[in-house]
């Protein structure tokens, strides 16, 4: 098991325990005679529901991303990690921005190919735009799920 997966497992277990204890406290408060305690008990059930939904959504996102990366790796289609880095290990922003244009053009040329969207997501991530990187990766996952055809011939 990789360190990242071990970290995800530890955080998931911690959140699951937290959610269980929150539900338990909510149940105790629902059993109380006080109307305020009952209201708080009901509110305590909402938090685990939102937390569980968020946890499941993020785990599915991670699994989908890993699955697509595995497919691209076997096809030799992963973008190479050749961008220059600062002494601290961060990607040089100007180089990432220049590389981004290549993947944006590829995605525009093949808008129905999840592979181009996956690579565009990696380019967004390298450029430091995490919000667009995640949105683009979700698009790639949806496209693969809806149409898992083999890559178009080059």
């Amino acid at each position: 098991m990789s360190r990242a997966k071990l970290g995800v497992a530890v955080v998931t277990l911690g959140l699951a325990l937290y959610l269980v204890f929150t539900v338990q406290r909510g149940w105790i408060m629902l059993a109380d005679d006080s109307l305020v305690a009952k209201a708080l008990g009901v509110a305590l059930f909402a938090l685990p529901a939102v937390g569980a939904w968020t946890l499941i959504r993020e785990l599915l996102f991670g699994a989908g991303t890993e699955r697509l990366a595995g497919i691209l790796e076997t096809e030799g289609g992963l973008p190479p990690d050749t961008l220059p880095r600062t002494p601290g290990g961060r990607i040089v922003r100007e180089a990432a921005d220049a590389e981004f244009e290549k993947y944006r053009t590829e995605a525009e040329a093949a808008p129905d190919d999840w592979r181009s969207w996956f690579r565009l997501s990696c380019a967004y991530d390298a450029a430091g735009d995490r919000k667009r990187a995640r949105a683009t990766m979700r698009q790639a996952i949806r496209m693969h799920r809806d149409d898992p055809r083999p890559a178009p011939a080059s």
Side-chain angles (χ1 to χ4, degrees):
M1 179 184 277
S2 71
R3 288 183 65 184
K5 286 184 181 180
L6 180 61
V8 168
V10 168
V11 170
T12 299
L13 179 62
L15 182 57
L17 284 172
Y18 173 76
L19 296 177
V20 166
F21 289 133
T22 303
V23 167
Q24 178 190 27
R25 295 295 171 213
W27 189 259
I28 290 169
M29 292 180 126
L30 281 176
D32 195 281
D33 292 335
S34 166
L35 217 49
V36 172
K38 287 186 186 301
L40 286 173
V42 169
L44 282 175
F45 277 103
L47 185 62
V50 170
W53 174 79
T54 303
L55 175 65
I56 290 168
R57 184 171 182 231
E58 289 305 306
L59 289 174
L60 290 173
F61 175 75
T65 301
E66 187 174 4
R67 183 176 50 253
L68 297 187
I71 293 169
L72 281 178
E73 183 177 28
T74 60
E75 295 176 352
L78 280 177
D81 186 11
T82 56
L83 294 173
R85 297 182 184 270
T86 65
R90 291 183 178 259
I91 294 173
V92 175
R93 180 69 184 257
E94 293 77 22
D97 289 344
E99 187 81 359
F100 172 82
E101 287 304 315
K102 170 181 154 185
Y103 294 110
R104 183 183 60 79
T105 303
E106 177 191 356
E108 287 175 354
D112 296 330
D113 184 16
W114 65 264
R115 290 160 180 84
S116 63
W117 285 87
F118 183 98
R119 288 186 282 269
L120 180 61
S121 173
C122 294
Y124 272 125
D125 188 59
D129 192 343
R130 306 276 186 230
K131 184 177 180 180
R132 284 192 177 126
R134 290 179 66 82
T136 306
M137 185 60 72
R138 288 189 199 291
Q139 177 68 18
I141 292 168
R142 263 190 310 275
M143 291 171 78
H144 177 263
R145 184 185 60 230
D146 294 344
D147 188 19
R149 289 179 294 181
S154 302

